[in-house]
Amino acid sequence: MRVGILGAGAMAEALGGGWVKAGHEVLIGARDAERAAELAAGVGARAGTLREAAGFGDVVLLAVPTSATADVLAAAGAADGVLDGRTVVDCTNAFVPDEAAAEGGPVSFVLSEDAVAERVARLVPGADVVKAFNLCAAEVWAGPRRDFEGRALAVPLCGDAPDAVSRVAGLARDLGLDPLPAGGLARAKYLEATSVFVVGLWFGGHDARAAFPPLEAAFAEVD
Ligand SMILES: NC(=O)c1ccc[n+]([C@@H]2O[C@H](COP(=O)([O-])OP(=O)(O)OC[C@H]3O[C@@H](n4cnc5c(N)ncnc54)[C@H](OP(=O)(O)O)[C@@H]3O)[C@@H](O)[C@H]2O)c1
């Protein structure tokens, strides 16, 4: 599959590098041509402009800060229909430190924007947007180990178009991950909020995983 990536940062490197290793053609596009070329060379991908990346991918990963989303999609040619008919993967997170948090209290973050994926979808009305890969750090997606306690790491996917969700599910499997369809794009806001919460736990030195029972114990006591 052809994957275009908008942005040449940690997520572009982690996911793009994994997809190159899995045999996909990847083109990394950025506003800084030198940065795109350097990153692409490091992972065995091609480099180009934002517009070239958008026009290259059957799947296009949006991997920039949420504050840059509108500018980046404009530079990618969204208004000219460059992304029409493509699957856009939104891995972005919009969180900032919680200024209202009590001094000395738990580390916490808040959303700087609600429902980012739905805003992305409004900016690319001819594309199918899927929220994915926002829950874990780039280092996790890049790491060689994809399973914990004997289970493959799951990647919740939220999107409205079944074909697009299934395309992204395939890309998750290619990274050794377990795709987990989690509803339509309107549910992506919960994935975004979940990320804010668990990252706060991790930064505070707590194991987010410890707060959730296994499925068989979710509604009943299991002995
Ligand atoms: N890193 C993680 O662990 C992680 C995990 C989950 C989700 N995410 C989310 O994934 C997205 C990307 O994260 P990242 O860590 O890869 O970011 P990053 O390393 O900071 O890279 C961001 C990329 O966006 C580009 N960019 C920033 N502002 C821009 C603008 N106004 N116009 C054009 N390009 C712009 C940067 O270009 P320049 O180099 O030219 O500034 C860079 O190529 C973010 O929304 C983040 O919240 C990150």
mmCIF file of all heavy atoms in Angstrom, residues 164-195:
data_model
loop_
_atom_site.group_PDB
_atom_site.id
_atom_site.type_symbol
_atom_site.label_atom_id
_atom_site.label_comp_id
_atom_site.label_asym_id
_atom_site.label_seq_id
_atom_site.Cartn_x
_atom_site.Cartn_y
_atom_site.Cartn_z
ATOM 1 N N ALA A 164 -12.244 2.089 5.072
ATOM 2 C CA ALA A 164 -11.108 2.859 5.597
ATOM 3 C C ALA A 164 -10.638 2.256 6.918
ATOM 4 O O ALA A 164 -9.431 2.095 7.154
ATOM 5 C CB ALA A 164 -11.514 4.321 5.774
ATOM 6 N N VAL A 165 -11.591 1.889 7.773
ATOM 7 C CA VAL A 165 -11.220 1.284 9.065
ATOM 8 C C VAL A 165 -10.475 -0.018 8.811
ATOM 9 O O VAL A 165 -9.456 -0.305 9.446
ATOM 10 C CB VAL A 165 -12.475 1.053 9.942
ATOM 11 C CG1 VAL A 165 -12.130 0.240 11.178
ATOM 12 C CG2 VAL A 165 -13.097 2.393 10.336
ATOM 13 N N SER A 166 -10.940 -0.779 7.827
ATOM 14 C CA SER A 166 -10.288 -2.063 7.583
ATOM 15 C C SER A 166 -8.888 -1.855 6.989
ATOM 16 O O SER A 166 -7.956 -2.615 7.289
ATOM 17 C CB SER A 166 -11.224 -2.919 6.745
ATOM 18 O OG SER A 166 -10.665 -3.385 5.634
ATOM 19 N N ARG A 167 -8.709 -0.815 6.172
ATOM 20 C CA ARG A 167 -7.368 -0.500 5.641
ATOM 21 C C ARG A 167 -6.408 -0.168 6.804
ATOM 22 O O ARG A 167 -5.274 -0.626 6.853
ATOM 23 C CB ARG A 167 -7.505 0.714 4.724
ATOM 24 C CG ARG A 167 -6.505 0.769 3.617
ATOM 25 C CD ARG A 167 -6.927 1.782 2.550
ATOM 26 N NE ARG A 167 -8.012 1.303 1.751
ATOM 27 C CZ ARG A 167 -9.102 2.004 1.411
ATOM 28 N NH1 ARG A 167 -9.249 3.238 1.818
ATOM 29 N NH2 ARG A 167 -10.034 1.468 0.668
ATOM 30 N N VAL A 168 -6.880 0.637 7.755
ATOM 31 C CA VAL A 168 -6.019 1.034 8.872
ATOM 32 C C VAL A 168 -5.784 -0.165 9.798
ATOM 33 O O VAL A 168 -4.700 -0.335 10.358
ATOM 34 C CB VAL A 168 -6.618 2.233 9.637
ATOM 35 C CG1 VAL A 168 -5.705 2.663 10.783
ATOM 36 C CG2 VAL A 168 -6.853 3.413 8.686
ATOM 37 N N ALA A 169 -6.799 -1.016 9.918
ATOM 38 C CA ALA A 169 -6.628 -2.241 10.717
ATOM 39 C C ALA A 169 -5.492 -3.078 10.137
ATOM 40 O O ALA A 169 -4.656 -3.626 10.865
ATOM 41 C CB ALA A 169 -7.922 -3.036 10.741
ATOM 42 N N GLY A 170 -5.433 -3.165 8.814
ATOM 43 C CA GLY A 170 -4.357 -3.920 8.157
ATOM 44 C C GLY A 170 -2.997 -3.305 8.470
ATOM 45 O O GLY A 170 -2.028 -4.018 8.742
ATOM 46 N N LEU A 171 -2.947 -1.980 8.460
ATOM 47 C CA LEU A 171 -1.673 -1.303 8.762
ATOM 48 C C LEU A 171 -1.270 -1.538 10.217
ATOM 49 O O LEU A 171 -0.081 -1.622 10.531
ATOM 50 C CB LEU A 171 -1.787 0.199 8.470
ATOM 51 C CG LEU A 171 -1.795 0.575 6.980
ATOM 52 C CD1 LEU A 171 -2.113 2.052 6.794
ATOM 53 C CD2 LEU A 171 -0.458 0.226 6.336
ATOM 54 N N ALA A 172 -2.254 -1.621 11.106
ATOM 55 C CA ALA A 172 -1.946 -1.915 12.515
ATOM 56 C C ALA A 172 -1.393 -3.337 12.631
ATOM 57 O O ALA A 172 -0.373 -3.575 13.293
ATOM 58 C CB ALA A 172 -3.194 -1.747 13.373
ATOM 59 N N ARG A 173 -2.063 -4.283 11.960
ATOM 60 C CA ARG A 173 -1.584 -5.680 12.004
ATOM 61 C C ARG A 173 -0.166 -5.791 11.469
ATOM 62 O O ARG A 173 0.658 -6.539 11.987
ATOM 63 C CB ARG A 173 -2.491 -6.578 11.160
ATOM 64 C CG ARG A 173 -3.613 -7.182 11.958
ATOM 65 C CD ARG A 173 -4.415 -8.207 11.154
ATOM 66 N NE ARG A 173 -5.824 -7.979 11.438
ATOM 67 C CZ ARG A 173 -6.668 -7.334 10.660
ATOM 68 N NH1 ARG A 173 -6.294 -6.884 9.476
ATOM 69 N NH2 ARG A 173 -7.910 -7.144 11.031
ATOM 70 N N ASP A 174 0.141 -4.992 10.444
ATOM 71 C CA ASP A 174 1.481 -5.039 9.848
ATOM 72 C C ASP A 174 2.558 -4.586 10.828
ATOM 73 O O ASP A 174 3.739 -4.837 10.618
ATOM 74 C CB ASP A 174 1.539 -4.153 8.593
ATOM 75 C CG ASP A 174 0.734 -4.753 7.454
ATOM 76 O OD1 ASP A 174 0.431 -5.972 7.502
ATOM 77 O OD2 ASP A 174 0.392 -4.010 6.517
ATOM 78 N N LEU A 175 2.135 -3.882 11.888
ATOM 79 C CA LEU A 175 3.093 -3.456 12.920
ATOM 80 C C LEU A 175 3.085 -4.427 14.100
ATOM 81 O O LEU A 175 3.674 -4.145 15.146
ATOM 82 C CB LEU A 175 2.735 -2.044 13.420
ATOM 83 C CG LEU A 175 2.800 -0.910 12.384
ATOM 84 C CD1 LEU A 175 2.317 0.402 13.003
ATOM 85 C CD2 LEU A 175 4.215 -0.746 11.848
ATOM 86 N N GLY A 176 2.389 -5.546 13.944
ATOM 87 C CA GLY A 176 2.331 -6.528 15.025
ATOM 88 C C GLY A 176 1.344 -6.131 16.107
ATOM 89 O O GLY A 176 1.439 -6.606 17.248
ATOM 90 N N LEU A 177 0.387 -5.277 15.743
ATOM 91 C CA LEU A 177 -0.593 -4.783 16.717
ATOM 92 C C LEU A 177 -1.949 -5.419 16.452
ATOM 93 O O LEU A 177 -2.179 -5.993 15.384
ATOM 94 C CB LEU A 177 -0.691 -3.256 16.600
ATOM 95 C CG LEU A 177 0.632 -2.521 16.828
ATOM 96 C CD1 LEU A 177 0.588 -1.121 16.238
ATOM 97 C CD2 LEU A 177 0.953 -2.467 18.318
ATOM 98 N N ASP A 178 -2.843 -5.274 17.413
ATOM 99 C CA ASP A 178 -4.158 -5.895 17.314
ATOM 100 C C ASP A 178 -5.207 -4.802 17.108
ATOM 101 O O ASP A 178 -5.545 -4.087 18.047
ATOM 102 C CB ASP A 178 -4.409 -6.640 18.648
ATOM 103 C CG ASP A 178 -5.629 -7.526 18.571
ATOM 104 O OD1 ASP A 178 -6.182 -7.695 17.469
ATOM 105 O OD2 ASP A 178 -6.034 -8.024 19.641
ATOM 106 N N PRO A 179 -5.713 -4.631 15.868
ATOM 107 C CA PRO A 179 -6.690 -3.560 15.644
ATOM 108 C C PRO A 179 -7.985 -3.820 16.399
ATOM 109 O O PRO A 179 -8.445 -4.960 16.469
ATOM 110 C CB PRO A 179 -6.924 -3.598 14.131
ATOM 111 C CG PRO A 179 -6.491 -4.950 13.698
ATOM 112 C CD PRO A 179 -5.442 -5.416 14.661
ATOM 113 N N LEU A 180 -8.544 -2.767 16.958
ATOM 114 C CA LEU A 180 -9.750 -2.899 17.781
ATOM 115 C C LEU A 180 -10.779 -1.864 17.312
ATOM 116 O O LEU A 180 -10.741 -0.715 17.762
ATOM 117 C CB LEU A 180 -9.350 -2.646 19.239
ATOM 118 C CG LEU A 180 -10.420 -2.675 20.317
ATOM 119 C CD1 LEU A 180 -11.112 -4.028 20.356
ATOM 120 C CD2 LEU A 180 -9.786 -2.392 21.670
ATOM 121 N N PRO A 181 -11.663 -2.251 16.372
ATOM 122 C CA PRO A 181 -12.664 -1.284 15.904
ATOM 123 C C PRO A 181 -13.491 -0.794 17.086
ATOM 124 O O PRO A 181 -13.996 -1.584 17.879
ATOM 125 C CB PRO A 181 -13.508 -2.090 14.905
ATOM 126 C CG PRO A 181 -12.591 -3.188 14.461
ATOM 127 C CD PRO A 181 -11.760 -3.533 15.673
ATOM 128 N N ALA A 182 -13.577 0.532 17.233
ATOM 129 C CA ALA A 182 -14.167 1.102 18.456
ATOM 130 C C ALA A 182 -15.277 2.092 18.150
ATOM 131 O O ALA A 182 -15.565 2.973 18.964
ATOM 132 C CB ALA A 182 -13.060 1.760 19.286
ATOM 133 N N GLY A 183 -15.926 1.921 16.984
ATOM 134 C CA GLY A 183 -17.079 2.766 16.675
ATOM 135 C C GLY A 183 -16.773 3.851 15.663
ATOM 136 O O GLY A 183 -15.687 3.912 15.090
ATOM 137 N N GLY A 184 -17.780 4.688 15.449
ATOM 138 C CA GLY A 184 -17.665 5.726 14.431
ATOM 139 C C GLY A 184 -16.787 6.890 14.870
ATOM 140 O O GLY A 184 -16.307 6.941 16.012
ATOM 141 N N LEU A 185 -16.629 7.830 13.960
ATOM 142 C CA LEU A 185 -15.710 8.944 14.246
ATOM 143 C C LEU A 185 -16.197 9.806 15.415
ATOM 144 O O LEU A 185 -15.380 10.428 16.099
ATOM 145 C CB LEU A 185 -15.531 9.804 12.982
ATOM 146 C CG LEU A 185 -14.272 10.651 12.993
ATOM 147 C CD1 LEU A 185 -13.018 9.781 12.966
ATOM 148 C CD2 LEU A 185 -14.261 11.635 11.832
ATOM 149 N N ALA A 186 -17.499 9.806 15.656
ATOM 150 C CA ALA A 186 -18.019 10.601 16.778
ATOM 151 C C ALA A 186 -17.484 10.077 18.114
ATOM 152 O O ALA A 186 -17.526 10.786 19.120
ATOM 153 C CB ALA A 186 -19.541 10.577 16.772
ATOM 154 N N ARG A 187 -17.009 8.833 18.113
ATOM 155 C CA ARG A 187 -16.444 8.270 19.351
ATOM 156 C C ARG A 187 -14.959 8.596 19.511
ATOM 157 O O ARG A 187 -14.370 8.315 20.555
ATOM 158 C CB ARG A 187 -16.659 6.757 19.391
ATOM 159 C CG ARG A 187 -18.132 6.367 19.479
ATOM 160 C CD ARG A 187 -18.316 4.868 19.588
ATOM 161 N NE ARG A 187 -17.611 4.314 20.729
ATOM 162 C CZ ARG A 187 -18.066 4.343 21.986
ATOM 163 N NH1 ARG A 187 -19.229 4.891 22.242
ATOM 164 N NH2 ARG A 187 -17.361 3.824 22.967
ATOM 165 N N ALA A 188 -14.353 9.175 18.480
ATOM 166 C CA ALA A 188 -12.915 9.476 18.557
ATOM 167 C C ALA A 188 -12.617 10.454 19.687
ATOM 168 O O ALA A 188 -11.529 10.425 20.269
ATOM 169 C CB ALA A 188 -12.425 10.042 17.224
ATOM 170 N N LYS A 189 -13.574 11.289 20.020
ATOM 171 C CA LYS A 189 -13.339 12.260 21.103
ATOM 172 C C LYS A 189 -13.070 11.551 22.433
ATOM 173 O O LYS A 189 -12.345 12.070 23.283
ATOM 174 C CB LYS A 189 -14.515 13.246 21.236
ATOM 175 C CG LYS A 189 -15.843 12.608 21.594
ATOM 176 C CD LYS A 189 -16.907 13.651 21.930
ATOM 177 C CE LYS A 189 -17.531 14.282 20.728
ATOM 178 N NZ LYS A 189 -18.431 13.399 19.943
ATOM 179 N N TYR A 190 -13.627 10.335 22.589
ATOM 180 C CA TYR A 190 -13.374 9.589 23.822
ATOM 181 C C TYR A 190 -11.960 9.000 23.819
ATOM 182 O O TYR A 190 -11.317 8.898 24.860
ATOM 183 C CB TYR A 190 -14.433 8.500 24.020
ATOM 184 C CG TYR A 190 -15.833 9.059 24.022
ATOM 185 C CD1 TYR A 190 -16.766 8.694 23.059
ATOM 186 C CD2 TYR A 190 -16.210 10.009 24.967
ATOM 187 C CE1 TYR A 190 -18.040 9.247 23.040
ATOM 188 C CE2 TYR A 190 -17.475 10.573 24.954
ATOM 189 C CZ TYR A 190 -18.385 10.183 23.988
ATOM 190 O OH TYR A 190 -19.624 10.748 23.974
ATOM 191 N N LEU A 191 -11.497 8.598 22.635
ATOM 192 C CA LEU A 191 -10.099 8.143 22.532
ATOM 193 C C LEU A 191 -9.161 9.289 22.853
ATOM 194 O O LEU A 191 -8.131 9.110 23.498
ATOM 195 C CB LEU A 191 -9.800 7.698 21.084
ATOM 196 C CG LEU A 191 -10.077 6.276 20.680
ATOM 197 C CD1 LEU A 191 -9.555 6.045 19.258
ATOM 198 C CD2 LEU A 191 -9.363 5.347 21.647
ATOM 199 N N GLU A 192 -9.520 10.471 22.367
ATOM 200 C CA GLU A 192 -8.669 11.648 22.623
ATOM 201 C C GLU A 192 -8.639 11.958 24.123
ATOM 202 O O GLU A 192 -7.577 12.234 24.697
ATOM 203 C CB GLU A 192 -9.194 12.840 21.802
ATOM 204 C CG GLU A 192 -9.004 12.611 20.290
ATOM 205 C CD GLU A 192 -9.842 13.523 19.403
ATOM 206 O OE1 GLU A 192 -10.467 14.480 19.921
ATOM 207 O OE2 GLU A 192 -9.875 13.279 18.174
ATOM 208 N N ALA A 193 -9.804 11.877 24.768
ATOM 209 C CA ALA A 193 -9.868 12.160 26.210
ATOM 210 C C ALA A 193 -9.157 11.059 27.009
ATOM 211 O O ALA A 193 -8.491 11.343 28.017
ATOM 212 C CB ALA A 193 -11.323 12.285 26.646
ATOM 213 N N THR A 194 -9.276 9.814 26.535
ATOM 214 C CA THR A 194 -8.601 8.706 27.218
ATOM 215 C C THR A 194 -7.093 8.922 27.214
ATOM 216 O O THR A 194 -6.400 8.705 28.218
ATOM 217 C CB THR A 194 -8.938 7.362 26.528
ATOM 218 O OG1 THR A 194 -10.344 7.180 26.587
ATOM 219 C CG2 THR A 194 -8.248 6.196 27.206
ATOM 220 N N SER A 195 -6.594 9.387 26.089
ATOM 221 C CA SER A 195 -5.157 9.636 25.993
ATOM 222 C C SER A 195 -4.717 10.677 27.018
ATOM 223 O O SER A 195 -3.698 10.504 27.696
ATOM 224 C CB SER A 195 -4.844 10.078 24.556
ATOM 225 O OG SER A 195 -3.755 10.912 24.527
#
